[in-house]
Structures are given as C-alpha cells and as structure tokens.
Amino acid sequence: RKDKDGDITHVKFRNRERMTPVDQAINMTKRGETSGVRVNKTGRGKEYLQDLPDSSKKDNLDNLPEK
C-alpha cells in the first residue's frame, strides 16, 4: 500500500493475511524474520525496505499490486 506521495506504507507477506506497516516490516527484517528484502538507508539516513536484486523487475516492491 502506498500513500499519496507514492511511498510504501504497508507490505503484505506471503504467510500473513493482513498488511504490515512498513516500520514493523523493517524491524522484522532486522531481526531476520523476513526473506527477499533487506533494510537500506537513504542519503539522509531514513531506513526503507529494498527487495533483493534478481533478474526480474516485476517483483520489485514498487511494482507489486496493492492488495
């Protein structure tokens, strides 16, 4: 799910029914509870989720459906 600025606010994990706030997903990733993503930082130090690189762009977080 994205906000009006296009920033991702929630993500949906395969094994969960509900959307997870991105801040919670970042903490889960730091604890090793997720796969396929990592935590990265902007130049200003803001943390965000980044999908792990592969040969496909269709599974990038920005390209996934908002279900």
Side-chain angles (χ1 to χ4, degrees):
R1 186 180 312 160
K2 296 179 183 179
D3 65 12
K4 63 180 174 61
D5 296 322
D7 295 327
I8 296 172
T9 60
H10 293 73
V11 294
K12 185 167 185 316
F13 293 107
R14 287 186 187 127
N15 59 345
R16 293 180 175 225
E17 284 187 35
R18 297 180 185 215
M19 301 288 281
T20 302
V22 75
D23 292 339
Q24 182 178 346
I26 287 171
N27 288 329
M28 291 168 65
T29 302
K30 287 179 176 181
R31 292 190 303 262
E33 298 173 8
T34 63
S35 62
V37 293
R38 64 182 172 198
V39 177
N40 207 343
K41 287 187 180 184
T42 66
R44 294 184 174 183
K46 181 180 177 183
E47 293 181 322
Y48 65 95
L49 285 178
Q50 182 179 40
D51 56 313
L52 297 178
D54 61 19
S55 61
S56 175
K57 290 191 182 227
K58 69 180 181 178
D59 64 352
N60 290 359
L61 293 175
D62 273 334
N63 297 334
L64 295 176
E66 295 188 34
K67 291 182 180 179

